[in-house]
């Protein structure tokens, strides 16, 4: 499973790149607003430090506007992945951008039927939002299971990018289902390390090691 980080915070991204765990980045207009930075500048800076795909979301909703914005964004760097909404105009733009060899992430996917449309539009990634589905009392992971089954049935090449991830269990459940990618808030990615028995065991080993009076180097 690939790990993307869901943030426009360059400090967080830099520290996660150095962990060697990061395969890409997703941003959205809310995350860019939170960063307080110029959108194109921040995408350029992120692309320079991240080796994998960096999703940059268009603000336009009509085909011509989406294509005009995508043309600006995809010139920023080779690893820019244009993020378009799951709408008729977004999917039309997706198909045309893919024909030109541009990576496309189709965002705001909330149903298996929508995911089927994204795959038929040759999206590089589809982003089902599990947390937001859970928030309305439905089952986010059920959505992932349905999409995995549908994509497997037809060998679609679109990668399932599990988004709106809120907890380590979302990541584990998505991995068990075979989702290709999870995009995680930095805090969730870091929390994957945590286990009380790891902390307790390490403290015991360090205390016992100190008793030996030895050093390794
Ligand atoms: C995906 O690409 C989105 O940026 C993101 O995962 C949305 O998550 P949220 O529901 O926590 O805002």
């Amino acid at each position: 499973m690939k790990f993307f980080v869901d943030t426009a915070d360059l400090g967080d991204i830099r520290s996660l790149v150095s962990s060697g765990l990061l395969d890409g980045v997703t941003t959205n207009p809310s995350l860019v607003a939170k960063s307080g930075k110029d959108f194109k500048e921040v995408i350029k800076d992120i692309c320079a430090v991240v080796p994998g795909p960096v999703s940059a979301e268009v603000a336009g909703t009509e085909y011509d506007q989406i294509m005009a914005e995508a043309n600006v964004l995809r010139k920023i760097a080779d690893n820019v992945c244009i993020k378009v909404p799951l709408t008729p105009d977004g999917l039309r733009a997706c198909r045309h951008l893919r024909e030109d060899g541009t990576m496309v992430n189709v965002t705001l996917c909330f149903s298996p039927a929508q995911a089927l449309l994204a795959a038929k539009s040759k999206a590089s990634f589809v982003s089902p939002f599990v947390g937001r589905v859970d928030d309305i009392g439905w089952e986010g992971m059920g959505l992932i299971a349905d999409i995995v089954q549908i994509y497997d049935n037809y060998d679609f090449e679109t990668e399932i990018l599990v988004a709106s991830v809120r907890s380590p269990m979302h990541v584990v459940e998505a991995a068990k289902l075979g989702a290709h990618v999870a995009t995680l808030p930095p805090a969730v990615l870091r929390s994957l390390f945590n286990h009380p028995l790891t902390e307790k065991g390490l403290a015991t080993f360090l205390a016992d090691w100190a008793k030996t009076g030895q050093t390794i180097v």
Side-chain angles (χ1 to χ4, degrees), residues 82-213:
I82 304 297
K83 206 172 181 189
V84 300
L86 208 156
T87 60
D89 284 39
L91 292 187
R92 184 178 160 211
C94 172
R95 180 171 286 278
H96 287 181
L97 290 165
R98 293 296 294 136
E99 280 163 6
D100 282 354
T102 302
M103 282 187 287
V104 180
N105 176 358
V106 174
T107 191
L108 293 168
C109 173
F110 294 95
S111 79
Q114 290 179 320
L116 185 53
L117 294 176
K120 286 183 66 67
S121 305
K122 311 273 184 212
S124 316
F125 303 99
V126 65
S127 292
F129 279 37
V130 291
R132 294 193 195 186
V133 172
D134 289 349
D135 288 346
I136 60 161
W138 295 17
E139 212 192 324
M141 276 306 143
L143 171 60
I144 303 303
D146 285 346
I147 300 172
V148 168
Q149 184 184 351
I150 291 167
Y151 281 19
D152 282 353
N153 284 349
Y154 296 97
D155 286 331
F156 283 128
E157 288 179 9
T158 300
E159 294 190 45
I160 302 165
L161 194 172
V162 180
S164 190
V165 165
R166 304 271 164 80
S167 72
M169 281 318 292
H170 273 153
V171 183
V172 172
E173 291 301 321
K176 282 162 73 176
L177 291 168
H180 305 90
V181 190
T183 187
L184 320 179
V188 173
L189 205 160
R190 293 194 177 97
S191 76
L192 297 181
F193 281 98
N194 299 344
H195 197 289
L197 292 180
T198 304
E199 285 148 33
K200 189 176 167 205
L202 185 59
T204 305
F205 286 154
L206 291 177
D208 288 343
W209 178 248
K211 288 179 205 159
T212 72

